Amino acid sequence: MRVIQDDGGAEPLGQLSPQDWLAAAETQKVLAALMADGAEVRFVGGCVRDSVLKRPIKDIDIATHDTPDTVMALLERAGIKVIPTGIAHGTVTAVVGKAHYEITTLREDVETFGRHARVSFTDDWTADAARRDFTMNAMFADASGRIYDPFNGLADLAAGQVRFVGDPMKRIDEDVLRLLRFFRFYAHYGRPPMDKNALIACRKLAPRLVELSGERVAGELIRLLQAPDPAEAMLVMKAEGVLAHVLPEARELGRLKVLSWLESRGLIRSGIAPDPLRRLGAILHGDEAAIRVVGDRLKLSAAQTGRLVSIAAPKIAVHDGLDHLGARRALRRIGADTFRDLVLVAWADAKSRSGVTHSHETSRWIGLLDWADAWQPVELPVRGADCLELGVPRGPGIGQALGVVDAWWEENDYRPGRAECLERLRQAIKEGGAEAPP
Ligand code: ATP
Ligand code: MG
C-alpha cells in the first residue's frame, strides 16, 4: 500500500496491491456489467479492509450510484444471475459461478430508530461512508484498486484503532448491534488501548443489548471468538459490564487466553485449530440445565448446545493424571472429539491457574491427545441376549453381569474375544454379578 494523496472521500488516498479477488474473471464480469453505462462503482467494507492488511477476504461488497432497478437491469443485460436480497434498502446480490457480490446503492441515513434506519439514496460517497460503523469499514476501492478513505480508516487500521465514524454514543444509540461489533472488530483488528469514548458509550448503553435477538448476539459472539486471540476483548466486555447483558454465564474467562494460544499457536497439531464453540464452552460456568439455557437463548442448534454442555458440564473429568486405562474409559464414554475438547480446556485451565507449565506436564497433556488420535471405538463382544441365553432373568441382573465383564475386558485392553468374554460372563453370572461395575 502506498499513499498517493491526503484528501477525503473525493480523491484516492492509496492503492491496493494486486488482489486475486479483484483480478478474478467473475469480479471483472460484474464490474464490467455495472459500469457499462458509465456508473461509478466501488468496493467497500471488509474486502477493502482485509486486502489492505493482506488477509484473506470473506465477502465482496460493492457500492454504486445506480438505483437497485438499474443495477438489476445492468446485471441481467450481461447475463448475470441477480437475487433481490434486500431490495427495499438498496441491496441486490449478483451470482457468477460460486462467487457472490452484494451490490448496494449509495445511501445516507435520514432517520434511525433502533436497528431500523430510514435511508435515502444519495450520490455522495462520503455520506454513504458516514453511516458505516467504523473508520476501517468505511473505506472504498475502485475497479483499479485506488483507495478512498474519507474518515482516516487506513491510519486507524495501521494503528489497530477500532474507531466509530462519529460519536460512539450516538452511533451505538442508533443501532446497539454496533456495541458488539466494536468488540468483534477489536478482537480481529485492534491493539490496545481501546478507544476511551467508545468504552464509555459501551458501558452506558450495554443494558440496551437485551433488545437484540439471540441469533444476532450469537452471530457476533461467535465471530468474535473466531479471532486468533479473543481473550482481551472478552475480558474488557466483562469488566465494562457488557457480558452481564449477553452472557452472564461467562465466568471462566481466565482459561480463554491459554486455550486460544494452544489452538492457534501453542500446539501445532493436525485437527487442532481455533474453534469458537470450544472457546464458548470453555468460558461458561454452570450445570447442564444452565448451559442449555445459554443454547436456547442464543438460538443454537441442538448439536451446538450439546457440544457446549459436553465441555462446560462434562460427564467425566479429564485431567493430566489420567492413565491409559482411565483415558480409554473416558474415550469410550464421551468419544474422541469431546475428549480432545476437554483435554484442551483442562490444560488451559491448569496453565492459567499455575502460570507455568513444566515440560513433563506438557508431555502428559500431549499424551492424552495422542491417545485420543489413536482411539478406535470398540464394542463389548457379548450383550444382553447372551445373558438371557445363559439363564439370567430380565432385569437389573443383566446390566450388572455385563458391567463385570466390561470392566474386565477394558482392563485387558479390549483384547479378549467373544469366546473368552462368554466364559467370563458365565463366571460373573455364577458369582451372582455381585461385583459392582466401575
Ligand atoms: P466481514 O469481513 O466480517 O464480512 P465486513 O466489514 O464486511 O466484515 P459486514 O457485516 O459484511 O462486515 O458489513 C459490510 C459493511 O457494512 C461494513 O464494513 C460496514 O461498513 C457496514 N455495516 C455493517 N453492519 C453495520 C452496522 N450495524 N452499522 C453500520 N455499518 C454497518
Ligand atoms: Mg462483509
Side-chain angles (χ1 to χ4, degrees):
M1 230 276 322
R2 97 198 123 89
V3 170
I4 296 176
Q5 192 173 33
D6 189 18
D7 190 5
E11 296 296 327
L13 259 175
Q15 172 73 45
L16 288 181
S17 56
Q19 299 290 321
D20 290 347
W21 64 266
L22 182 49
E26 293 88 342
T27 308
Q28 290 299 320
K29 184 169 179 188
V30 170
L31 280 180
L34 294 175
M35 302 196 303
D37 292 347
E40 232 187 307
V41 169
R42 293 178 187 175
F43 299 98
V44 63
C47 62
V48 180
R49 181 193 66 226
D50 290 336
S51 296
V52 168
L53 290 181
K54 301 196 164 58
R55 294 194 194 178
I57 63 146
K58 277 169 239 112
D59 45 31
I60 300 178
D61 295 305
I62 298 176
T64 173
H65 279 157
D66 280 333
T67 61
D69 290 342
T70 310
V71 170
M72 304 251 301
L74 286 169
L75 291 168
E76 274 159 11
R77 197 166 80 196
I80 295 172
K81 184 174 161 199
V82 205
I83 308 170
T85 3
I87 200 133
H89 25 95
T91 305
V92 305
T93 303
V95 185
V96 187
K98 282 194 193 127
H100 284 60
Y101 302 83
E102 291 236 312
I103 301 154
T104 304
T105 305
L106 292 190
R107 292 175 302 178
E108 60 189 322
D109 287 344
V110 181
E111 213 184 326
T112 48
F113 14 84
R115 288 235 64 223
H116 304 282
R118 200 163 74 221
V119 294
S120 69
F121 297 141
T122 174
D123 57 6
D124 180 347
W125 292 99
T126 304
D128 182 86
R131 71 174 177 83
R132 297 179 181 274
D133 46 8
F134 307 112
T135 58
M136 63 174 66
N137 288 350
M139 303 188 288
F140 302 98
D142 66 16
S144 325
R146 284 190 292 257
I147 300 172
Y148 300 81
D149 180 19
F151 294 103
N152 271 323
L154 283 174
D156 287 338
L157 193 59
Q161 285 298 301
V162 182
R163 197 187 308 281
F164 279 94
V165 175
D167 174 29
M169 200 77 84
K170 178 168 173 286
R171 301 310 311 281
I172 297 174
D173 187 49
E174 287 167 1
D175 175 3
V176 73
L177 185 70
R178 291 174 188 155
L179 195 161
L180 296 182
R181 286 176 62 92
F182 173 72
F183 290 100
R184 192 237 290 188
F185 283 97
Y186 183 81
H188 285 273
Y189 302 95
R191 281 199 300 280
M194 280 191 194
D195 185 289
K196 257 213 193 89
N197 288 330
L199 283 181
I200 292 170
C202 289
R203 172 177 275 282
K204 175 117 193 280
L205 296 172
R208 295 231 349 247
L209 286 169
V210 295
E211 294 166 18
L212 294 175
S213 70
E215 287 97 332
R216 286 219 173 250
V217 172
E220 282 305 321
L221 285 178
I222 290 198
R223 274 183 270 189
L224 190 165
L225 289 171
Q226 276 163 350
D229 182 7
E232 193 203 340
M234 291 293 282
L235 285 168
V236 178
M237 286 172 88
K238 175 105 179 169
E240 297 295 332
V242 172
L243 282 188
H245 298 284
V246 287
L247 199 66
E249 299 84 355
R251 284 163 51 193
E252 300 285 357
L253 283 179
R255 301 164 167 180
L256 187 56
K257 186 155 194 71
V258 183
L259 176 63
S260 307
W261 170 79
L262 283 173
E263 288 177 335
S264 55
R265 274 163 295 147
L267 188 67
I268 308 299
R269 195 181 166 95
S270 82
I272 304 282
D275 186 325
L277 265 188
R278 185 192 290 133
R279 293 169 173 190
L280 183 57
I283 62 177
L284 297 177
H285 180 94
D287 59 13
E288 170 162 357
I291 305 303
R292 292 209 176 275
V293 168
V294 178
D296 288 347
R297 202 176 59 230
L298 297 181
K299 306 274 184 304
L300 301 182
S301 70
Q304 288 173 318
T305 301
R307 177 120 187 262
L308 290 188
V309 168
S310 73
I311 296 171
K315 285 199 183 64
I316 278 189
V318 168
H319 53 84
D320 67 342
L322 279 186
D323 60 11
H324 198 187
L325 179 61
R328 283 183 320 215
R329 276 193 184 135
L331 280 161
R332 237 180 119 195
R333 281 155 193 79
I334 61 180
D337 288 340
T338 302
F339 185 86
R340 269 188 283 265
D341 283 343
L342 293 179
V343 169
L344 291 172
V345 172
W347 186 353
D349 189 72
K351 189 166 155 64
S352 68
R353 281 171 207 283
S354 74
V356 285
T357 314
H358 301 292
S359 61
H360 65 276
E361 286 166 2
T362 304
S363 49
R364 280 209 297 263
W365 292 115
I366 290 185
L368 291 177
L369 292 174
D370 290 340
W371 285 333
D373 291 352
W375 174 251
Q376 303 282 347
V378 292
E379 210 179 323
L380 184 67
V382 291
R383 49 188 78 213
D386 298 312
C387 298
L388 292 174
E389 233 161 74
L390 292 172
V392 183
R394 281 181 199 282
I398 292 187
Q400 268 169 25
L402 286 177
V404 171
V405 180
D406 194 280
W408 165 83
W409 185 62
E410 198 155 53
E411 273 159 30
N412 286 284
D413 283 340
Y414 318 112
R415 270 194 296 263
R418 178 162 166 82
E420 280 173 278
C421 286
L422 273 176
E423 188 45 44
R424 185 69 186 84
L425 182 61
R426 272 190 206 100
Q427 195 187 327
I429 293 166
K430 214 186 291 162
E431 288 161 3
E435 269 174 69

